[in-house]
Amino acid sequence: MIIDTDVTLDGSLLCLIPFDMKEKYLLIDAIKSLEVWKYTWREVKTIDDIEEIMEIAAKNKKERSQIPFMIKEKLNGQIIGTTRIGEIDAQNRNVEIGWTWLSPAYWRTGVNTECKYLLLQYCFEVLKLIRVQFSVSGHNVRSQKAVERIGAIKEGTFRKHRIKSDGTVHDNVFYGILDSEWKEVKENLLHLMGKEY
């Protein structure tokens, strides 16, 4: 499996473009709302906290351990969020999709659905993976419902898996999609996006 950390994934509403620290202020502007970080186990209260997360993404991209993207809306060309492919296990052909933070202005607009479609299509049809996983904070019911809506199967919960600096303890809920399930998940995603299979 060849890891291309500069791949662009092109959709109808958006493009997933390679993460670039040169564009960090556009990304910060999109995801600076505390609402974005409310249910994550990450402690994000300041712009410096967001910059630290972006520096980790840049480091992981350089090391080829993750493929981070910026989410660019096609209609107006704005950067509206970020997402990643990570936990790359080339030998076992597994990855995790996540680290998705989107401007609240684009919640429930179809952007996240298309984002997941593009990532999953790339993972299963280009990288030829056999499993893609998601992990979601037990406090983040909205994200759990979103992952379930696209057709991921809940596989289990790591109880008391993350502790925030404020002492809040989070379960971590794991979901997965297998290559054998991709056809059905793809049909569902296309239906959700109002497209033909």
Side-chain angles (χ1 to χ4, degrees), residues 113-128:
T113 302
E114 184 168 277
C115 182
K116 295 300 184 277
Y117 171 77
L118 292 172
L119 291 169
L120 288 165
Q121 182 181 46
Y122 181 70
C123 287
F124 287 118
E125 297 180 14
V126 177
L127 297 180
K128 304 295 184 191

Side-chain angles (χ1 to χ4, degrees), residues 74-108:
K74 282 189 152 183
L75 186 63
N76 60 23
Q78 284 187 316
I79 301 297
I80 60 172
T82 183
T83 192
R84 296 184 217 175
I85 297 171
E87 301 296 327
I88 298 169
D89 181 349
Q91 180 178 348
N92 294 302
R93 294 169 44 209
N94 282 243
V95 299
E96 183 172 315
I97 287 175
W99 304 269
T100 304
W101 300 298
L102 186 64
S103 167
Y106 292 89
W107 292 357
R108 296 180 182 87

Side-chain angles (χ1 to χ4, degrees), residues 8 11 16 30 60-61 78 87 119 134 138 155 171 181 183:
T8 296
L16 299 181
N60 291 339
K61 177 181 177 180
Q78 284 187 316
E87 301 296 327
L119 291 169
F134 304 81
E155 297 178 332
D171 292 345
E181 298 162 343
K183 183 177 186 290

Side-chain angles (χ1 to χ4, degrees), residues 124 129-132 155 176-183 185:
F124 287 118
L129 301 178
I130 62 171
R131 182 175 183 279
V132 173
E155 297 178 332
I177 299 172
L178 305 180
D179 56 346
S180 57
E181 298 162 343
W182 168 234
K183 183 177 186 290
V185 171

Side-chain angles (χ1 to χ4, degrees), residues 134-181:
F134 304 81
S135 66
V136 183
S137 166
H139 293 282
N140 196 342
V141 175
R142 181 177 54 83
S143 289
Q144 289 175 49
K145 287 181 179 178
V147 170
E148 291 167 5
R149 181 175 172 260
I150 67 173
I153 304 298
K154 185 175 179 179
E155 297 178 332
T157 302
F158 285 12
R159 298 173 300 159
K160 295 188 175 183
H161 190 229
R162 304 278 188 190
I163 303 174
K164 286 177 78 162
S165 61
D166 68 0
T168 307
V169 179
H170 289 238
D171 292 345
N172 208 2
V173 185
F174 287 87
Y175 295 85
I177 299 172
L178 305 180
D179 56 346
S180 57
E181 298 162 343

Side-chain angles (χ1 to χ4, degrees), residues 15-133:
C15 288
L16 299 181
I17 61 174
F19 179 84
D20 187 343
M21 283 296 277
K22 293 177 195 161
E23 306 289 342
K24 74 177 181 179
Y25 294 110
L26 297 174
L27 181 54
I28 288 170
D29 193 51
I31 60 174
K32 66 185 177 189
S33 167
L34 293 180
E35 281 297 302
V36 172
W37 308 97
K38 185 174 181 179
Y39 296 110
T40 180
W41 56 266
R42 289 163 180 82
E43 190 68 35
V44 176
K45 294 182 178 176
T46 67
I47 299 301
D48 288 343
D49 295 333
I50 298 172
E51 282 197 56
E52 184 179 328
I53 289 169
M54 290 194 299
E55 286 166 8
I56 292 168
K59 175 181 171 285
N60 291 339
K61 177 181 177 180
K62 186 176 181 180
E63 294 173 352
R64 298 187 177 280
S65 63
Q66 293 185 335
I67 308 171
F69 297 93
M70 292 188 294
I71 305 167
K72 183 176 185 178
E73 188 192 25
K74 282 189 152 183
L75 186 63
N76 60 23
Q78 284 187 316
I79 301 297
I80 60 172
T82 183
T83 192
R84 296 184 217 175
I85 297 171
E87 301 296 327
I88 298 169
D89 181 349
Q91 180 178 348
N92 294 302
R93 294 169 44 209
N94 282 243
V95 299
E96 183 172 315
I97 287 175
W99 304 269
T100 304
W101 300 298
L102 186 64
S103 167
Y106 292 89
W107 292 357
R108 296 180 182 87
T109 64
V111 165
N112 192 39
T113 302
E114 184 168 277
C115 182
K116 295 300 184 277
Y117 171 77
L118 292 172
L119 291 169
L120 288 165
Q121 182 181 46
Y122 181 70
C123 287
F124 287 118
E125 297 180 14
V126 177
L127 297 180
K128 304 295 184 191
L129 301 178
I130 62 171
R131 182 175 183 279
V132 173
Q133 83 173 19

